[in-house]
Amino acid sequence: MNHKFTVATIAGFLMSSVVFMLLFLTFYQEELKQERAQAVREVNNLLQSSLENAMLKRDLAGLIYIVRHLGKQPNISSVMIVNPKGEVRFASRVEDEGRKLPIAMVTGEKAHTLFTRDVHGREVLRSVNPVHNKAPCQQCHGPMREHPVNGILLVDYDATSIRQQARNTTLMLMGAGSLIVIVNLVGGWWFIRRFILKPVASLSRTSQALSRGELDARVDAAGNDELARLGQTFNQMADNLQRHTRKLDESKAFLQAMIDAIPDGVRIIDADYNMLLVNRTFLEQAGCGADARVGGKCYAASHGLDSPCPSELYACPVEEIQRTGEPMKVIHHHVCEGGDSLDVEVYAAPMTIPREDGEETLVVESIRDLSKEVRFTHEQRLSELGRLAAGVAHEIYNPLSSMKLALHSLMLNMQRDSSHASDVADDLAIVEEEMDQCIHITDKLLRLSATPLEKEELVDIQEVLTDTLSLLRWDAEQAGISIHKHYSGKHVRVISSSSEIRMLMLNLVQNAFHAMPEGGELQVHVECLDGQVLVRISDTGVGIAEDELPYIFMPFFSRRADGVHGTGLGLSISKTIVKAYGGTLSVTSRVGQGSSFLVSLPEATEDSAWH
């Protein structure tokens, strides 16, 4: 603004100066012309009287003297007397006498003055003065009616001096005017800069700072003029903006903290599939990828797609709710960053919010990680099984222990009385052996139901399998299933939780039993290969259909061959356990020939066992 003001003022000054100079120079030249013409007329009147007197007396010598003497006066270029035909009769310069002038120069009956050029091409101010015919002159020049003018007196003044004087005067006035304008310009520039531009610049800087988010910026609003009051009002507006922004940030932080406290993933999606709000749990579920953050597309964050999910493959909550306006619940298979997958349960509901151009329907999704649900179910199942098994084991273990003590006491008494001692001692030994077996079984049951330790331990896989199969021996006999074990000759150990590995093997063996409702064979193979412990559990059951294989590890998927409707959590729990200890669980199956589940876990080395 300062630059524009300066440029505009200078341009205006130059334009006004040029116009003023042209107008003043024209007016001043005209004024000098009129003034000089007036002086010339007075001189011409005297000269004309002298000429008329000389002509009446026929004093040609006196007439020539007057003309030539007048031509020597300062600023007079030449003096000529011209007859009505344009011939120069008398001239101040001898060479001009007898010269023929254009007839236009010598016509007219009125005296006048004009700027023109003489016969030599020089610019002059010419005074044209007709010498009128009078009564005394009629004898020589004829009647006045026919010859109103006897001749023309031409007096040429040097125009250079006139114009020079006009230019000098104009330049002097222009200089004085310029000095005044410059003083006013500097004063106006200082005033505008001090009282207008500086406050406006402060307002501009503060506005830019506020637009960058610097809400503490304020205007220096000293004084009591209009701009100062404007600055004070601007500061009040900034205070209100900062206060409301702080409240908005606090509300936003409260809302974010509130949804971050929800254990399930939460996100809000608009009709264009943009995620407007997500919580910390959802970011953890998605792997905290860039596509999972606010502003990303829901289908990119959940399914790794570049376009909305195909309706024939996924039930899209956004499309369904926009179409029906009703809440819905679906099971989805989310793809996390890095290629990991996650089975989730999505509960979606509409949320209507007001907008300037009407209402907008958003979709609120609550996303539950089913692997956590499986984990919780597994832990709950272990806890309930532990309480039940512990109660049963104690109910059996305590009487058995008391009976064993009584048997020892009886055997000691019989040793004192040796009659029939050998037969009774044999029977009591059998009873004691069976009691030891019962105590051993209850001990296995207790270890199966033990709560997982926070610190991992060294677990012998072959021992776990032996205990698990012994607990299920009666079930196998009742179902007509024969069990065949193929163990490695050495100890096969992993670092894990004993109770969870026992639960893993129990789930896999029970699933094999369920697949053979008409009986069959169960093959259990254990070996070590390339640092991995491989446990293969194979059955000769009904097998699994090829189109069902991708879903058997999903939570709540159940297809038991014995007709019993299961919970669908056994294999999900098993895969969760294996994955937790860095292993893998895979399956191969043929319908009518059976299935084979392969567990691969890292073998415990000396270093891992030490840690």
Side-chain angles (χ1 to χ4, degrees):
M1 188 174 180
N2 186 19
H3 177 70
K4 291 181 179 178
F5 169 77
T6 304
V7 171
T9 304
I10 293 175
F13 167 70
L14 292 176
M15 291 178 62
S16 61
S17 298
V18 171
V19 174
F20 175 77
M21 182 178 68
L22 294 175
L23 292 175
F24 181 80
L25 186 59
T26 302
F27 292 151
Y28 188 68
Q29 284 183 344
E30 187 64 26
E31 187 67 25
L32 286 177
K33 176 182 173 182
Q34 295 299 329
E35 181 183 353
R36 186 60 56 89
Q38 181 64 29
V40 167
R41 281 192 294 271
E42 292 177 358
V43 173
N44 288 345
N45 289 334
L46 293 176
L47 180 59
Q48 187 172 359
S49 298
S50 299
L51 289 175
E52 289 177 353
N53 184 48
M55 292 173 65
L56 288 173
K57 295 180 179 180
R58 297 184 181 274
D59 185 8
L60 296 179
L63 181 60
I64 293 172
Y65 174 79
I66 292 173
V67 171
R68 290 182 178 174
H69 183 72
L70 184 60
K72 295 179 181 179
Q73 299 301 312
N75 297 327
I76 294 180
S77 175
S78 66
V79 179
M80 293 179 290
I81 297 177
V82 183
N83 63 18
K85 296 180 180 181
E87 297 176 353
V88 179
R89 297 295 305 277
F90 303 98
S92 59
R93 291 195 293 267
V94 179
E95 63 272 17
D96 291 337
E97 292 180 356
R99 189 183 298 274
K100 181 73 173 180
L101 297 180
I103 196 66
M105 278 186 163
V106 295
T107 57
E109 299 182 3
K110 291 183 179 181
H112 59 279
T113 304
L114 74 159
F115 283 100
T116 184
R117 293 189 179 276
D118 61 10
V119 295
H120 301 288
R122 294 172 298 184
E123 187 179 19
V124 294
L125 177 62
R126 175 167 291 172
S127 176
V128 181
N129 298 278
V131 180
H132 296 281
N133 191 6
K134 295 182 179 180
C137 302
Q138 293 183 17
Q139 295 179 358
C140 297
H141 295 281
M144 289 185 291
R145 182 178 299 174
E146 297 177 3
H147 302 282
V149 176
N150 295 334
I152 306 296
L153 174 63
L154 300 179
V155 181
D156 291 342
Y157 294 90
D158 187 5
T160 305
S161 62
I162 297 174
R163 292 191 182 277
Q164 185 66 38
Q165 182 180 358
R167 282 194 294 268
N168 292 340
T169 304
T170 302
L171 291 176
M172 182 183 66
L173 292 176
M174 286 293 294
S178 300
L179 180 61
I180 294 173
V181 171
I182 290 173
V183 171
N184 289 332
L185 177 63
V186 172
W189 175 81
W190 175 85
F191 179 84
I192 292 177
R193 180 178 176 82
R194 172 65 179 82
F195 296 103
I196 298 178
L197 297 181
K198 187 177 180 180
V200 170
S202 179
L203 281 169
S204 177
R205 287 194 302 271
T206 306
S207 299
Q208 293 175 359
L210 289 175
S211 67
R212 293 192 301 267
E214 301 174 12
L215 299 182
D216 293 331
R218 295 294 182 273
V219 178
D220 183 10
N224 195 31
D225 57 9
E226 289 81 357
L227 287 176
R229 289 195 292 272
L230 176 62
Q232 294 166 4
T233 304
F234 186 89
N235 288 340
Q236 292 176 0
M237 180 192 70
D239 290 338
N240 293 334
L241 177 63
Q242 186 179 28
R243 183 168 58 256
H244 289 301
T245 302
R246 187 181 296 113
K247 289 182 179 179
L248 183 62
D249 290 340
E250 291 174 355
S251 300
K252 186 177 179 180
F254 174 78
L255 175 62
Q256 188 66 50
M258 181 178 67
I259 68 168
D260 283 342
I262 299 175
D264 294 334
V266 175
R267 62 179 178 177
I268 299 176
I269 309 170
D270 65 12
D272 294 326
Y273 309 98
N274 297 309
M275 296 187 297
L276 306 181
L277 187 67
V278 298
N279 70 342
R280 183 185 299 112
T281 304
F282 176 76
L283 292 178
E284 293 173 355
Q285 291 174 350
C288 297
D291 291 338
R293 299 189 180 278
V294 171
K297 297 294 185 179
C298 62
Y299 49 78
S302 302
H303 302 284
L305 300 176
D306 297 328
S307 58
C309 304
S311 57
E312 61 272 11
L313 297 180
Y314 301 97
C316 177
V318 176
E319 292 184 0
E320 290 295 323
I321 289 179
Q322 292 293 336
R323 183 174 60 85
T324 65
E326 298 294 330
M328 63 177 298
K329 182 166 66 174
V330 293
I331 301 295
H332 275 180
H333 187 71
H334 283 185
V335 178
C336 307
E337 187 179 24
D340 294 335
S341 60
L342 188 69
D343 295 316
V344 297
E345 180 185 62
V346 180
Y347 180 81
M351 179 178 71
T352 302
I353 59 173
R355 297 290 192 190
E356 293 182 359
D357 54 351
E359 292 184 341
E360 181 181 6
T361 299
L362 304 178
V363 177
V364 181
E365 288 187 351
S366 175
I367 305 170
R368 176 163 297 179
D369 183 355
L370 290 180
S371 64
K372 291 185 178 179
E373 185 75 11
V374 169
R375 183 74 179 180
F376 174 77
T377 305
H378 169 54
E379 293 173 355
Q380 187 180 38
R381 180 177 177 183
L382 280 177
S383 176
E384 293 174 355
L385 180 60
R387 288 194 297 269
L388 176 62
V392 172
H394 283 294
E395 290 294 328
I396 297 174
Y397 189 84
N398 290 335
L400 288 175
S401 299
S402 299
M403 291 170 64
K404 188 173 182 177
L405 290 174
L407 285 174
H408 276 289
S409 176
L410 182 59
M411 291 177 68
L412 289 174
N413 291 331
M414 290 188 64
Q415 289 176 1
R416 297 189 186 99
D417 184 4
S418 58
S419 60
H420 306 289
S422 60
D423 295 335
V424 175
D426 292 338
D427 294 337
L428 292 177
I430 294 173
V431 172
E432 183 179 18
E433 183 179 352
E434 292 300 324
M435 286 183 177
D436 289 337
Q437 182 66 22
C438 291
I439 292 173
H440 184 59
I441 291 174
T442 57
D443 182 61
K444 292 178 181 179
L445 185 60
L446 285 173
R447 280 189 288 173
L448 172 64
S449 60
T451 303
L453 300 175
E454 293 185 2
K455 185 176 180 181
E456 296 174 353
E457 56 188 323
L458 196 62
V459 179
D460 190 320
I461 293 294
Q462 295 178 155
E463 179 185 345
V464 168
L465 279 168
T466 299
D467 292 346
T468 302
L469 293 174
S470 66
L471 289 174
L472 297 174
R473 183 182 299 133
W474 186 84
D475 291 340
E477 291 175 355
Q478 294 297 315
I481 298 172
S482 59
I483 300 175
H484 304 279
K485 296 182 290 184
H486 309 277
Y487 290 169
S488 172
K490 62 175 184 177
H491 290 291
V492 179
R493 297 177 295 183
V494 296
I495 300 297
S496 61
S497 167
S498 176
S499 60
E500 290 198 320
I501 295 298
R502 291 173 185 274
M503 181 61 69
L504 166 66
M505 299 306 171
L506 179 64
N507 284 337
L508 295 178
V509 173
Q510 284 184 329
N511 276 348
F513 284 5
H514 297 157
M516 297 183 289
E518 303 298 330
E521 293 184 359
L522 179 71
Q523 302 286 342
V524 179
H525 295 261
V526 180
E527 63 177 328
C528 291
L529 183 63
D530 297 331
Q532 294 289 314
V533 174
L534 304 180
V535 180
R536 186 181 301 275
I537 299 177
S538 305
D539 62 67
T540 57
V542 297
I544 304 171
E546 185 176 356
D547 58 345
E548 294 181 354
L549 278 176
Y551 307 105
I552 63 172
F553 294 109
M554 290 183 65
F556 312 115
F557 182 86
S558 177
R559 295 289 190 276
R560 284 178 55 168
D562 57 3
V564 178
H565 182 70
T567 63
L569 293 175
L571 289 177
S572 297
I573 291 173
S574 300
K575 189 167 185 178
T576 300
I577 294 173
V578 173
K579 188 176 180 180
Y581 297 113
T584 59
L585 176 59
S586 60
V587 59
T588 57
S589 181
R590 284 190 175 185
V591 177
Q593 297 183 17
S595 303
S596 177
F597 286 84
L598 177 63
V599 177
S600 176
L601 290 169
E603 183 182 10
T605 61
E606 293 184 2
D607 293 337
S608 62
W610 174 259
H611 291 297

